[in-house]
Amino acid sequence: MTPDNDLISNSTRPNASRSTKKNPTRGRASALLAGLAVIGISAAMMAPSGMAVADPETTDAPLTAYSLAAAETQSITVSVEGADIAPVARSGFDVYVKPKPKPKPKPKPVAQTASSSGSSSSGRSSGPSMPRYTGGGSKEDWMSAAGIASGDWAYVDYIVSRESGWNPNATNASSGACGLVQALPCSKVPGNGYDPVDNLRWGNGYAVGRYGSWAAAYAFWSRNHWW
């Protein structure tokens, strides 16, 4: 018979052989993992601190107010000493200011001569351009020649005495009325407004046509001091 120790030794011996067969494999795996770890640590230590980032592809973006403002902003580079601000060359533009139009000069007024200032719409000349009366005669002769009835002479004498003082060449400086009855305008008188007969003849038609008679013209003048 085999001793007990031999049995025990023989029974445990296959396990020992299996154990020795597994240990080399496990050791090689551990060595491989350790080598990979060393390689990884070495690569991490040798690699740069930053990661390379691929440049984005440029695309033709539409121009907007924001993109133009961003392009115009200043670029600031910060160093150890401080900020370095570089000037930005901005695009310029021309401004056209429309000149203010000059006002057109006003036409100069044409100086009126004596003949033009005295003309009327009828084409007759006014008092200043008419010849003054130089003939003689009395007021009775003038009223008779003008066709005024003798019964109206007193009314005529009252009005003419206050209008012109029986001066054939009397002229109102402000209105331009002329002659014995102060015809206004003087150009209304057919012929010459300074001729006493022409002036009284026009005055006779005015008194009768406006007031109906010399008596009515006299009454109006007495109340209003004009006719």
Side-chain angles (χ1 to χ4, degrees):
M1 289 181 68
T2 318
D4 292 338
N5 291 337
D6 293 339
L7 290 174
I8 294 171
S9 176
N10 290 335
S11 63
T12 57
R13 201 175 285 171
N15 293 333
S17 64
R18 285 195 299 270
S19 177
T20 56
K21 289 180 181 178
K22 292 180 179 179
N23 287 337
T25 304
R26 186 179 300 172
R28 286 194 295 269
S30 298
L32 179 60
L33 292 175
L36 292 175
V38 172
I39 293 173
I41 295 173
S42 300
M45 294 178 63
M46 296 176 65
S49 59
M51 297 180 65
V53 180
D55 294 335
E57 295 182 357
T58 58
T59 58
D60 295 334
L63 293 178
T64 62
Y66 176 79
S67 62
L68 293 176
E72 292 291 333
T73 56
Q74 292 185 350
S75 177
I76 301 176
T77 302
V78 179
S79 62
V80 178
E81 290 79 7
D84 183 14
I85 302 176
V88 177
R90 300 181 183 273
S91 57
F93 56 91
D94 297 332
V95 178
Y96 175 74
V97 179
K98 186 178 181 181
K100 185 178 181 181
K102 295 182 180 180
K104 295 182 179 180
K106 295 181 180 180
K108 295 181 179 180
V110 180
Q112 294 182 350
T113 59
S115 59
S116 62
S117 62
S119 61
S120 66
S121 58
S122 62
R124 297 188 182 93
S125 300
S126 66
S129 63
M130 295 179 182
R132 300 298 192 269
Y133 182 72
T134 57
S138 63
K139 53 186 177 182
E140 290 81 6
D141 295 336
W142 296 336
M143 286 188 290
S144 177
I148 299 174
S150 59
D152 293 329
W153 284 5
Y155 305 123
V156 177
D157 181 59
Y158 180 88
I159 293 175
V160 172
S161 296
R162 285 155 181 78
E163 288 290 335
S164 64
W166 285 100
N167 177 12
N169 297 319
T171 304
N172 188 304
S174 59
S175 66
C178 70
L180 296 177
V181 299
Q182 290 294 282
L184 182 66
C186 193
S187 58
K188 284 186 176 181
V189 179
N192 186 351
Y194 291 108
D195 184 278
V197 177
D198 292 343
N199 194 278
L200 285 172
R201 187 182 292 113
W202 177 87
N204 185 52
Y206 174 79
V208 176
R210 182 178 177 88
Y211 301 104
S213 65
W214 276 102
Y218 159 79
F220 182 88
W221 205 106
S222 299
R223 294 191 303 271
N224 301 280
H225 304 287
W226 63 274
W227 74 319

